[in-house]
Amino acid sequence: MLRVWFLLTLAYGIGFFIVVPFMVIYELISKGRIPSSTDFSNAFGIYLFSYIFSLSWYAVLSALSQEKEFFYRIWSRLDFFRRALLSHGIAILMWVILGLDAIKSFSDLFLFMGSFALFTSPFVLGLVIANWLTHSIIAGLSQFKRKLTVRVKPPKTLDFAEYGKWVVVGQDYAIDTIQKVLTANTKLADRGDPRRNRILASFLFVGPTGVGKTETAKALASWLSQDGYDFLRIDANQFSDREAVWTLLGSPKGYVGSETPGLLPYAVSQNPKLVLLIDEIEKADQGFYQFLLQMLDEGYVIERSTGNVYYLKRAIVIITSNLENKRIAEIMETLSDPVEIDIAVRKTLESAKISFGGGRTFRITPEFLGRIDAVVPFRSLGFEDLVQIAYREIKGLGVNISYETVYELTQKYYPIAREYGVRYFLKKIQEDVLTR
C-alpha cells in the first residue's frame, strides 16, 4: 500500500509540472492567450481530485482482492506500477463518464478529448518517471548498504536470523519466518505444550530453483550443531517407488534386508536432535508422501523390522518443493504483506498438480499443508544479491578484488545467472578472476 501511494503521489506531482507547459501551448493554440492563475488553480484541482479518486480506487481494489477469488487472481499478478496505473485509469474513467453530459457538439467533443489527453498523458509519463526513480533509489541504497555490510567471515551470534542472512543472501523473508517459528515452538516445548510433543518444527520451502532453499537448511543445521544437532539429507527422487521407501524405514520382518535398520529410524536412534531435509518431495512415491503425513501428524517413526518407535520431539523437518516456482516468485515480487503472501502461496500450492510418466501425479493436499508449521517462500535473486554473493565467494578464495570490479563482472555474467542459476554464474566469474 505504501509503495503504491508513494508512486501515485510522485507521479501526480511530476505529471502536474509536465502539464503546465502543455497548458500554455494548448491555450495559445485554442484561445490565443496565456493561461491565467485561475486556469492553473483549476488544473491543480482536477489533478488533486484525480489523485484522491486513484487512491480511493486502489483501496477498493485491494479490499476486493481480499474478499473475492476472481479479483485476487487478477490483483496478485499485477506489480506496483500496473496497480497504480489501473487505479488512475478507473479514476479517469469516472471523469469521462461525468463529462459526457457536457458534450453537446463536435467542438465540445474536441475540447473534451484535448482536456482528456492533457490530463492523462502527463500522468502516465510521470508514473513512468516515478517508477524509474523509485527503482533507482532503492537499488542505489541497497548497493550502498550491502557494500558497507558485506562480510567474508560468518558472524558470531546466538541468533539464527543473523547467521542465516549471512550464509544465504537475499532471502531475509524466509530466514525471518524460520526464526519466528523456531522461537515460538521452542518456548512452547519448554513449557510442556502437548502440541509440541510431536516434531519441534516443520517447514515447507518453496520457490525458484537455485536461490538457497537447500543452503538454508544446511545453514540451520550448521547453526544448530553447536547444540548437538546432526543433519540428514534425503533426496525424494531416490524413493520414487514403494520398495525404495523400505530403505528409509527398514524392511518388514522376514523380508530380505530386514536385518539392516532403516535410514531414518537409525539416525533418530543415534541422535534425537536432528535436522531432516527432504529435497523435492514431488518426485517421491505416493507411499513416501503418506508416510510424511503420518510422521508430521504423530511425531514418530517406526523401525519396521523391530517395531521400535522413535520420537521426533527435538527434530526439525524441512521439506522442499519446486511446484509452481515461477508463480511463487511472482507473488514474492508483487506482495509485501506477510499474511497476503502466506495466503497466496498456500492457494497456489493447493491448486498445483504435476504429472509424471506412467500416469503418476502429485499434488500437495490441504491436510499436508495443515500439518506444516510454516510454508516458507523464497524469492528470485536480484542483481545486487548476485554482486554480494560473488564478492564474498571471490574474497573467500583469498583474491584481492574490489567491490566495484565484482559489480562489473556481475553485469557481464548476469544473463548467465538468470538463465542457468547461481552455481554456473559463480563458476564463470571465478574463471574470469583467476585467469587474469
Side-chain angles (χ1 to χ4, degrees):
M1 178 68 180
L2 184 62
R3 184 166 176 179
V4 174
W5 171 84
F6 178 77
L7 269 179
L8 283 171
T9 304
L10 189 58
Y12 272 101
I14 295 172
F16 181 73
F17 280 103
I18 294 174
V19 85
V20 170
F22 277 95
M23 279 186 63
V24 174
I25 296 172
Y26 180 76
E27 290 289 325
L28 285 173
I29 294 175
S30 61
K31 299 179 181 179
R33 66 179 180 85
I34 297 176
S36 64
S37 58
T38 303
D39 294 325
F40 287 119
S41 297
N42 291 337
F44 179 78
I46 293 174
Y47 255 74
L48 181 61
F49 278 110
S50 298
Y51 169 69
I52 294 172
F53 281 154
S54 296
L55 287 181
S56 300
W57 274 108
Y58 176 78
V60 169
L61 293 171
S62 296
L64 284 173
S65 69
Q66 298 299 315
E67 298 294 332
K68 303 294 183 181
E69 179 72 18
F70 172 75
F71 287 101
Y72 164 78
R73 291 187 178 277
I74 297 175
W75 194 245
S76 63
R77 292 181 180 274
L78 301 178
D79 59 15
F80 297 109
F81 176 82
R82 290 182 176 87
R83 291 181 184 183
L85 189 60
L86 178 62
S87 303
H88 168 76
I90 296 175
I92 292 298
L93 183 61
M94 290 180 61
W95 282 114
V96 171
I97 294 173
L98 293 173
L100 288 177
D101 292 337
I103 300 176
K104 305 298 183 183
S105 63
F106 181 78
S107 60
D108 291 338
L109 178 62
F110 177 77
L111 289 173
F112 179 79
M113 294 302 294
S115 299
F116 176 78
L118 184 64
F119 289 102
T120 300
S121 301
F123 166 81
V124 175
L125 181 58
L127 183 59
V128 172
I129 296 173
N131 191 55
W132 174 78
L133 284 174
T134 303
H135 280 288
S136 298
I137 292 170
I138 292 174
L141 290 175
S142 177
Q143 180 183 351
F144 179 72
K145 179 181 176 182
R146 286 174 178 171
K147 185 175 179 179
L148 292 178
T149 59
V150 65
R151 290 180 289 194
V152 178
K153 296 182 179 180
K156 295 181 179 179
T157 177
L158 296 175
D159 185 4
F160 170 68
E162 185 179 357
Y163 177 80
K165 290 173 185 178
W166 177 84
V167 175
V168 185
V169 176
Q171 303 297 348
D172 291 6
Y173 179 88
I175 300 297
D176 287 336
T177 302
I178 296 167
Q179 177 69 56
K180 289 177 182 177
V181 172
L182 287 177
T183 301
N185 287 7
T186 300
K187 289 181 178 179
L188 288 172
D190 292 341
R191 293 177 182 180
D193 191 304
R195 290 173 296 179
R196 298 268 61 90
N197 283 338
R198 299 190 295 270
I199 294 174
L200 180 60
S202 56
F203 302 97
L204 176 62
F205 289 179
V206 294
T209 59
V211 296
K213 295 194 293 290
T214 302
E215 198 65 28
T216 300
K218 292 179 179 179
L220 179 59
S222 175
W223 183 73
L224 287 172
S225 64
Q226 60 189 336
D227 293 328
Y229 271 78
D230 288 336
F231 179 64
L232 176 62
R233 175 179 177 177
I234 295 173
D235 289 323
N237 60 5
Q238 297 177 357
F239 303 94
S240 56
D241 58 78
R242 205 169 287 270
E243 287 72 21
V245 178
W246 292 1
T247 307
L248 183 66
L249 301 177
S251 302
K253 193 173 183 178
Y255 281 75
V256 176
S258 59
E259 67 281 357
T260 304
L263 181 64
L264 182 56
Y266 178 77
V268 178
S269 68
Q270 296 299 304
N271 186 1
K273 291 184 174 183
L274 182 69
V275 175
L276 173 61
L277 170 63
I278 301 173
D279 253 338
E280 297 184 294
I281 179 61
E282 63 270 13
K283 294 183 179 179
D285 178 73
Q286 189 65 25
F288 184 84
Y289 181 74
Q290 293 300 324
F291 151 71
L292 273 183
L293 279 175
Q294 180 182 359
M295 183 184 75
L296 292 170
D297 186 46
E298 298 175 351
Y300 61 79
V301 293
I302 299 175
E303 218 303 321
R304 289 188 175 186
S305 61
T306 62
N308 292 336
V309 178
Y310 299 98
Y311 290 90
L312 304 166
K313 290 192 292 184
R314 305 306 292 181
I316 297 171
V317 177
I318 300 171
I319 304 164
T320 72
S321 174
N322 290 322
L323 278 178
E324 292 292 338
N325 51 41
K326 292 183 179 179
R327 176 73 188 107
I328 291 171
E330 292 176 2
I331 291 172
M332 295 301 292
E333 286 292 328
T334 56
L335 300 182
S336 57
D337 181 73
V339 176
E340 291 183 0
I341 290 174
D342 191 46
I343 293 172
V345 170
R346 285 176 176 268
K347 285 184 176 180
T348 299
L349 292 173
E350 287 175 1
S351 61
K353 184 178 180 181
I354 185 171
S355 299
F356 298 95
R360 187 170 71 88
T361 60
F362 176 85
R363 60 186 298 266
I364 293 178
T365 60
E367 61 175 335
F368 180 81
L369 293 177
R371 288 169 168 81
I372 296 290
D373 287 318
V375 178
V376 184
F378 286 67
R379 69 176 185 87
S380 298
L381 293 175
F383 177 81
E384 294 296 334
D385 300 318
L386 294 171
V387 174
Q388 186 177 358
I389 292 171
Y391 181 73
R392 193 178 65 192
E393 186 77 14
I394 299 302
K395 295 291 284 186
L397 296 174
V399 178
N400 186 19
I401 191 170
S402 67
Y403 190 88
E404 289 72 19
T405 301
V406 175
Y407 192 92
E408 293 172 0
L409 287 172
T410 303
Q411 287 181 316
K412 179 180 178 180
Y413 293 108
Y414 183 66
I416 287 180
R418 299 294 293 177
E419 188 71 25
Y420 301 108
V422 177
R423 292 184 184 90
Y424 189 56
F425 160 77
L426 289 176
K427 181 177 181 295
K428 297 303 292 184
I429 284 189
Q430 287 176 3
E431 289 177 356
D432 195 312
V433 172
L434 296 175
T435 54
R436 288 189 174 192

